[in-house]
Amino acid sequence: NKVAPKPGKSRSNRYLTTLARLREVDTELEFCRNWVAQKERVLTAKRGKLSSLLKAIDEGRYSLCFGSKKLLQQRPGAHNTETTPFASVEDWHEAWDTARNGQVWSIGHTAKPSGNSELQWLPDTNQLRVRLTDKLAHERMDALGIPRSGGPQKVMPLRMKCRFITIDGVDFASHRGAARAALIDAFGKRPVTMRLLQRLSPVGERIWYLQASVDVPTGFNPETARTREAGVLGLDLNARGVAWAVVKPDGNRLREVHPQSGFLDWDLKGLSDSVRKQIIGTTVVELARLAKRLGIAVAIENLDFATKKAGLRAGGVNKRYNEMLSSFASSQFAELMTRAC
């Protein structure tokens, strides 16, 4: 009322600005109420879970399992004497340790021999050098009477032998020699990540596998890459799929190509992360092949939806809407699209 125009006078800018702010108050209040209601729903659900857990603890009933639920149910006991495949708890423990603790990852490092510091493959002799833990290495040093540190210079090679064990007959013979050649080419240039794992065969024998991962050069050269002047394949991501269109620099469709636009749909609701990633990966590969066939670049929108999704989720009114936002894998799509290109 203080800034209201007098009779016969026009409305001032200050008056118009005040009116605009007042009109936004109802919208802001509704947003805040929805945000608080959503937090209350989450808090109520967590209190319910807490109550269930406390009740289970009081009754001595636990249902916590990190790993295979099926294997846990096969633990020999009075309730499954006729159905469990294990003769004793010791046999079950061995299978459990194999399933849960049967693998070792070693992240690669370019500066290390063979591109890795713990698992080093020697292609000339087909040997694998495995670095032991400090505890095992110290036990071997103590058994041979080698000092753990210091001492004369001549004990250094002996100390290194205690830190590594050598396994003969290890070779990468798959993919018609391409895997072996890729590893040898990566040594000294790119890191090599190794994975050592063990599994039990159907007859009960322990089998070891060695897997190596290396980034193979794609041949991409920014200097010779396609420019936007020839047109781009524009992508628009939403919860139902990906819409694409071939456009010119001015934003109009490129009429000389066929097809000019399309839509690749998907349904990611209720799927696990691995299945969702597989569906998205299939879609981005199809888009990358289309762009390669047309000989144009790919333009993708700015998919930093973290803040926007938080605001939308706060204003959500039901569980189905929040599930739709959770399955809206924008960052995952952008990452896979970049890798595919």
Side-chain angles (χ1 to χ4, degrees), residues 19-307:
L19 281 181
R21 291 179 177 177
L22 289 175
R23 294 190 184 102
E24 294 175 357
V25 169
D26 291 338
T27 304
E28 293 291 336
L29 284 176
E30 185 65 23
F31 173 84
C32 293
R33 292 191 184 100
N34 290 334
W35 186 84
V36 172
Q38 191 267 344
K39 295 299 180 182
E40 289 177 346
R41 289 194 297 267
V42 174
L43 182 60
T44 302
K46 290 184 177 181
R47 284 175 175 170
K49 292 181 179 179
L50 177 60
S51 177
S52 300
L53 289 175
L54 292 176
K55 183 179 179 181
I57 292 175
D58 294 338
E59 297 175 355
R61 174 173 50 88
Y62 304 97
S63 59
L64 184 63
C65 175
F66 294 100
S68 173
K69 185 176 180 180
K70 179 180 178 181
L71 186 59
L72 181 63
Q73 292 174 347
Q74 293 176 348
R75 188 179 191 277
H79 64 288
N80 61 352
T81 305
E82 299 179 357
T83 58
T84 178
F86 300 99
S88 63
V89 179
E90 289 73 16
D91 295 339
W92 176 85
H93 267 296
E94 184 178 357
W96 177 267
D97 291 338
T98 301
R100 299 296 301 135
N101 305 317
Q103 61 177 330
V104 177
W105 285 89
S106 179
I107 306 300
H109 195 287
T110 306
K112 298 296 181 179
S114 301
N116 198 286
S117 57
E118 286 85 16
L119 300 173
Q120 300 172 358
W121 178 60
L122 308 178
D124 297 335
T125 58
N126 286 346
Q127 292 178 328
L128 179 69
R129 298 179 71 235
V130 181
R131 183 182 180 92
L132 301 176
T133 61
D134 291 341
K135 180 181 179 181
L136 293 176
H138 291 165
E139 290 178 357
R140 300 181 71 184
M141 294 178 191
D142 296 341
L144 298 176
I146 301 174
R148 299 182 180 180
S149 61
Q153 187 70 22
K154 63 180 181 181
V155 302
M156 287 293 296
L158 300 177
R159 189 181 297 140
M160 291 303 298
K161 288 184 179 180
C162 293
R163 289 193 173 275
F164 287 89
I165 60 173
T166 303
I167 303 175
D168 298 324
V170 179
D171 193 10
F172 294 88
S174 62
H175 301 86
R176 299 180 180 179
R180 179 185 177 93
L183 283 175
I184 296 176
D185 180 69
F187 292 164
K189 302 177 184 177
R190 294 177 297 277
V192 179
T193 297
M194 292 286 191
R195 181 192 182 197
L196 190 64
L197 67 153
Q198 60 174 329
R199 291 291 183 266
L200 290 178
S201 66
V203 297
E205 296 180 351
R206 195 178 300 274
I207 303 176
W208 292 86
Y209 298 89
L210 178 66
Q211 299 177 350
S213 302
V214 58
D215 290 335
V216 180
T218 61
F220 174 76
N221 186 1
E223 298 179 357
T224 59
R226 292 281 182 173
T227 64
R228 299 181 182 181
E229 299 301 324
V232 296
L233 183 69
L235 305 181
D236 182 26
L237 174 69
N238 56 63
R240 296 186 299 108
V242 183
W244 60 270
V246 183
V247 297
K248 296 183 291 184
D250 57 8
N252 295 319
R253 290 187 184 181
L254 191 61
R255 304 291 181 181
E256 290 77 8
V257 300
H258 183 78
Q260 300 173 4
S261 61
F263 184 79
L264 302 177
D265 59 340
W266 58 36
D267 186 8
L268 306 178
K269 179 183 176 182
L271 302 180
S272 62
D273 183 70
S274 58
V275 177
R276 184 185 306 173
K277 191 172 183 179
Q278 180 182 5
I279 295 176
I280 297 177
T282 303
T283 303
V284 300
V285 168
E286 184 175 351
L287 292 171
R289 288 176 178 173
L290 176 62
K292 183 177 181 180
R293 180 177 64 84
L294 298 177
I296 57 177
V298 175
I300 187 170
E301 60 182 329
N302 182 11
L303 294 177
D304 186 13
F305 284 139
T307 304

